[in-house]
Amino acid sequence: MLRKVNDDLEQVLRCAIQLAKGRGSGLVTVDDLLLACLGVSSRFGISQIGEWPIDLDSFGWPWRERRDPGRSNTSYSDGVVLLLEQAARIASAEVPGGPPTPLHVLACFAEHREGLMQALAERYGIDSFRWRAALARMGSESAPRSETAPSGPPQFLTPDQAAVWLGVHIQTLRGYIRSGKLPAFRIAGERALRIRSSDLAALLEPFQPAESDE
Amino acid sequence: MPLFVVHRELPGITPDALTGAGLRAKTCCAEISAEGRSVRWVRSFFLPETSQTHCYFEAGDAQVVEEANRRANIPFTKVTEVVEMTPEAA
């Protein structure tokens, strides 16, 4: 059975179609998808991703416009097809069977170095690691609460999933656990380790450009 | 409203790719419906042994179903009208 998809991502994909139509294009590109993800999470034209306040108006794209439906044959590009598959793969690695969300789509752009993402990286000094870390923090902050448990179950990751999210080798992550740098939990009576996503996000600290080790 | 089946052969398709395809199918159907031509993705069946999928769409005609799948960039071999039978209706 296909996994339930996130409603926010459906909204993003429809917004991406509108952006392509706004450009007069018959093809929805990955740039449309990136702008749509940033647009749906924006306020007053600013999409706050971690430490970066991304000014959507500065790129000259008509992202605010809502086109009348009209007739058009705007279709998704091959790039968008591949990117959605990648987002679904990342979502599955985080929570088996979990639906992809706009955050997972944004995570796919971490290594992207062309088009709009390249322009963002140059203007804001975005690097892959901090981009993914910022998204990880956003994900843990907006984790859905269960209706039956008001305090909400914490999100736990396996060491492999945690290593993927941090972008480090699994042995590096195990080193963080051994040194006490990263708290970990053991399932009672079992060998399996679990890492709380908020502990993972707490491992990161904001980068100060004046630091001499850069 | 008539029901159509979209035949696909997708060798090597992954569950993650199918998730993306379902998402695109839903949004393209919503777009075309907003344009005034009703089309809805009802259900799909994936046959893991043969990598075939059968996707059922509800629409006025086969052409709008084909258009929805082209816009969604999901390859297909053919679209044919079907008649649904269920135990409740028998």
XYZ file of all heavy atoms in Angstrom, chain A residues 21 68-74, chain B residues 32 35-37 67 71:
112
model
N 3.522 28.135 -13.870
C 2.574 28.865 -14.729
C 2.895 30.354 -14.706
O 2.808 31.042 -15.720
C 1.142 28.636 -14.235
C 0.583 27.246 -14.499
C -0.867 27.158 -14.002
C -1.464 25.790 -14.295
N -2.860 25.687 -13.793
N -5.077 32.258 -12.067
C -6.351 31.612 -12.323
C -6.082 30.243 -12.938
O -5.134 30.086 -13.696
C -7.192 32.449 -13.301
C -7.629 33.754 -12.652
O -7.761 33.776 -11.412
O -7.814 34.737 -13.377
N -6.916 29.252 -12.628
C -6.629 27.887 -13.121
C -6.372 27.846 -14.615
O -5.331 27.415 -15.048
C -7.871 27.097 -12.729
C -8.398 27.800 -11.536
C -8.085 29.263 -11.759
N -7.306 28.319 -15.432
C -7.124 28.292 -16.880
C -6.798 26.904 -17.368
O -6.838 25.935 -16.628
N -6.452 26.802 -18.627
C -6.011 25.526 -19.176
C -4.520 25.590 -19.368
O -3.995 26.542 -19.918
C -6.682 25.251 -20.526
C -8.082 24.675 -20.438
C -8.060 23.242 -19.939
N -7.294 22.352 -20.787
C -7.814 21.701 -21.823
N -9.065 21.851 -22.146
N -7.057 20.898 -22.539
N -3.822 24.591 -18.941
C -2.401 24.509 -19.248
C -1.989 23.063 -19.089
O -2.680 22.282 -18.449
C -1.575 25.389 -18.319
O -1.246 24.677 -17.149
N -0.918 22.721 -19.706
C -0.423 21.352 -19.604
C 0.853 21.312 -18.798
O 1.773 20.583 -19.122
C -0.198 20.772 -21.000
C -1.508 20.485 -21.698
O -2.452 20.004 -21.083
N -1.576 20.795 -22.979
N 0.890 22.136 -17.742
C 2.100 22.189 -16.926
C 2.340 20.843 -16.264
O 1.478 20.334 -15.550
C 1.953 23.279 -15.848
O 1.541 24.489 -16.484
C 3.262 23.521 -15.151
N -6.315 19.759 -12.604
C -7.200 19.619 -13.761
C -8.651 19.819 -13.324
O -9.451 20.431 -14.046
C -6.986 18.242 -14.424
C -5.579 18.181 -15.031
C -8.039 17.981 -15.495
C -5.214 16.829 -15.623
N -9.413 23.306 -13.098
C -9.563 23.903 -14.429
C -10.926 23.605 -15.030
O -11.256 24.126 -16.092
C -8.466 23.358 -15.356
C -7.073 23.815 -14.990
C -5.979 23.016 -15.692
O -6.315 22.186 -16.571
O -4.789 23.207 -15.362
N -11.708 22.740 -14.364
C -13.067 22.508 -14.834
C -13.337 21.118 -15.379
O -14.454 20.836 -15.811
N -12.334 20.242 -15.390
C -12.556 18.875 -15.874
C -12.260 17.911 -14.743
O -11.142 17.786 -14.305
C -11.665 18.585 -17.078
C -12.006 19.405 -18.315
C -11.008 19.170 -19.431
N -9.666 19.549 -19.005
C -8.557 19.051 -19.542
N -8.625 18.151 -20.500
N -7.371 19.450 -19.107
N -4.114 12.849 -19.704
C -3.485 14.140 -19.464
C -2.989 14.243 -18.020
O -1.883 14.737 -17.771
C -4.456 15.284 -19.756
C -3.809 16.658 -19.603
C -4.715 17.771 -20.045
O -5.683 17.506 -20.788
O -4.453 18.922 -19.633
N 0.910 14.948 -17.119
C 1.340 16.090 -16.296
C 2.079 15.604 -15.057
O 3.020 16.242 -14.585
C 0.129 16.911 -15.860
C -0.577 17.651 -16.962
C -1.431 18.726 -16.339
N -2.453 19.222 -17.237
C -3.263 20.241 -16.912
N -3.150 20.819 -15.743
N -4.177 20.653 -17.763
